[in-house]
Amino acid sequence: MAVGNQADVSLDQPTQVLEFAVGDERYCVVLDSVTEIIDRQQSRSLPDAPPHVVGVMDYRDVTTTLVDTARLLGVGSNPEAQRVVVFDTGEDDADVYGWLVDEVHRVTDIDPAKVDDSPFGDDGTRGIVRTDDGLVVWVDPPSER
């Protein structure tokens, strides 16, 4: 899957997103920003890492930063989550991140008419998506944070 630049995504046309769960909350990211979804692998902790960084793991012979997505998004902490959404934000190996998530739900198209602005003007949040089964928070991948 090609890595895209989410800044190029227009909210006036349908957009494919990957929907996932972190705890009881549902989120989505633009599908083009996702490299792969994998099961968690063995990781190593890093001294003096930011609080949301669990450590690093080997992903296809690249040292990959493993992120506690719940902590990053401010909805608790779940450093033991077992699914990883991998983002490759550039050509440098240091630009590969893995977001720990509890569950990956689906790939879906977002209708722009069903996207509301983020209520807090958060730079990391694109908006709130109204779906038939609830609200989904549309977030930016690591390269945009």
Side-chain angles (χ1 to χ4, degrees):
M1 199 174 303
V3 176
N5 180 348
Q6 195 160 10
D8 295 337
V9 173
S10 170
L11 289 181
D12 60 356
Q13 58 186 328
T15 303
Q16 276 199 320
V17 296
L18 174 71
E19 214 176 283
F20 58 91
V22 175
D24 293 333
E25 305 297 328
R26 290 175 42 213
Y27 297 91
C28 67
V29 293
V30 172
L31 184 61
D32 284 348
S33 67
V34 176
T35 302
E36 190 172 359
I37 301 159
I38 61 173
D39 290 326
R40 183 175 180 166
Q41 301 170 13
Q42 185 176 2
S43 62
R44 299 282 181 249
S45 60
L46 291 172
D48 300 322
H52 63 274
V53 173
V54 173
V56 293
M57 67 177 196
D58 180 47
Y59 165 73
R60 299 184 185 262
D61 294 327
V62 174
T63 301
T64 303
T65 303
L66 198 57
V67 175
D68 180 348
T69 310
R71 181 169 260 180
L72 177 71
L73 298 174
V75 293
S77 181
N78 189 2
E80 301 305 319
Q82 293 300 305
R83 299 291 285 161
V84 181
V85 177
V86 178
F87 302 94
D88 186 345
T89 62
E91 294 182 22
D92 186 354
D93 287 351
D95 296 331
V96 181
Y97 296 84
W99 276 9
L100 289 169
V101 302
D102 294 308
E103 186 176 343
V104 174
H105 289 291
R106 63 186 173 179
V107 171
T108 189
D109 287 325
I110 290 183
D111 176 357
K114 294 188 176 189
V115 179
D116 296 328
D117 290 337
S118 175
F120 304 110
D122 178 11
D123 289 338
T125 304
R126 289 234 164 213
I128 308 299
V129 181
R130 292 173 273 118
T131 69
D132 292 338
D133 40 323
L135 299 177
V136 178
V137 180
W138 186 355
V139 294
D140 286 329
S143 63
E144 301 295 321
R145 292 200 141 212

